Amino acid sequence: LPSLLTAKMQLAARPTLPVSPLSAEFTPLAAMPPHVLAAFMTAEDAGFFLHQGFEPENIRKALVYDLERGRMARGASTITQQVAKNLFLAHDRTLARKLTETVFTWRVDSLVPKRRVLELYLNLVELGPGIRGVGAAARAYFGKDPQELTPLEAAHLASLPPNPRGFARRFREGSVDDGWLARLYDLVGIMGRRGHLSTAQVNSARGSRLRL
C-alpha cells in the first residue's frame, strides 16, 4: 500500500481540486439547499450519516458480482470512499487500489466530520466532462447557482455519478427524454417517502419538465 507521504504527493499534484473557498468553484455546504444534499445521499449513499465509511451489504453484493465475472466489474462505493478515491487515488479498477482506498476511507471517516466529508464529495464529484462539483454542474446544466436548484434539478445532478460522461452525451441536444424524466420522478418520490421533501414539493417536481 502507498504511504501517507505518497498520498500527500498525489494530492499536491491536483491543485485545482475545489476543496476550499480558495477555489472559485468551491461551494460551501451551507450554500446548498437541503434537497440537494438529500438527492445525492438518496441516490448514492442513504446510510451516509449512520455508517463508518462502508456499507458491508453493498460490498458483499459487489464482491459476488465481481467473482462471478472474474474481474473488478462493479464498485460499492460510499460517499466517504468516493472522497478518499478522488482526493488520493487513481481511478483504475484493481484490487490493490481498492485495498488502498479502504485504508484511506477508514482514516477519512475517523478524522473528518461527516458534514465536511459530504461537502468535499459535493465539490469533487464528477458530473460531466470537465464538470466537477455541484456548483459547476448547476451552472453548466441550468445556468444558475446551486442555491437556486429545484428538487427536480437536484435529482438530475444526483443521477449522473454512475456514468457522468455517458449521460452528458445523452443530453447534448439540451433535451431530456421521458425515460430519464421517469427516473428522476422515482428519485423525487423516494426523497418524499424518506421525509426529505414535502408532499407539495414532490407533486410540484413530478408535475414539472426539466429544462437544461
Side-chain angles (χ1 to χ4, degrees):
L1 296 181
S3 65
L4 183 57
L5 177 59
T6 301
K8 287 181 177 178
M9 291 171 62
Q10 290 174 320
L11 180 58
R14 303 178 188 183
T16 59
L17 287 179
V19 297
S20 79
L22 295 176
S23 169
E25 292 295 333
F26 180 79
T27 304
L29 205 62
M32 302 186 203
H35 55 255
V36 171
L37 282 58
F40 277 90
M41 287 190 290
T42 301
E44 289 284 287
D45 187 358
F48 171 71
F49 279 105
L50 302 175
H51 62 61
Q52 295 179 305
F54 304 95
E55 281 284 13
E57 180 59 20
N58 289 345
I59 292 174
R60 184 193 68 79
K61 290 178 180 178
L63 182 60
V64 169
Y65 186 91
D66 291 342
L67 288 175
E68 288 175 347
R69 286 152 183 79
R71 59 189 176 89
M72 298 290 288
R74 173 183 289 181
S77 294
T78 62
I79 282 174
T80 313
Q81 286 174 278
Q82 292 181 59
V83 167
K85 178 178 66 177
N86 284 325
L87 280 177
F88 300 115
L89 302 169
H91 288 201
D92 53 309
R93 288 177 176 267
T94 64
L95 180 59
R97 200 275 293 161
K98 202 67 179 175
L99 291 173
T100 306
E101 177 189 300
T102 299
V103 174
F104 286 128
T105 299
W106 170 66
R107 294 299 289 161
V108 168
D109 187 76
S110 300
L111 299 173
V112 184
K114 284 282 191 180
R115 287 186 62 82
R116 173 57 173 157
V117 174
L118 183 59
E119 181 178 64
L120 286 169
Y121 169 77
L122 291 172
N123 278 279
L124 293 172
V125 61
E126 185 180 10
L127 296 172
I131 303 172
R132 190 175 285 278
V134 169
R139 289 183 281 274
Y141 288 101
F142 304 112
K144 58 175 62 175
D145 291 328
Q147 57 264 38
E148 300 174 299
L149 290 169
T150 67
L152 189 63
E153 291 166 345
H156 172 77
L157 298 185
S159 298
L160 296 173
N163 185 16
R165 294 173 185 267
F167 287 147
R169 289 193 294 271
R170 184 173 180 174
F171 312 122
R172 59 189 166 194
E173 301 298 326
S175 60
V176 176
D177 59 71
D178 289 341
W180 182 259
L181 200 57
R183 177 178 184 156
L184 303 188
Y185 290 160
D186 286 343
L187 178 54
V188 166
I190 295 171
M191 291 167 66
R193 290 193 292 276
R194 293 181 177 172
H196 299 304
L197 297 175
S198 67
T199 300
Q201 285 177 308
V202 172
N203 291 339
S204 176
R206 284 180 159 175
S208 304
R209 300 287 298 186
L210 197 68
R211 298 175 63 86
L212 300 180

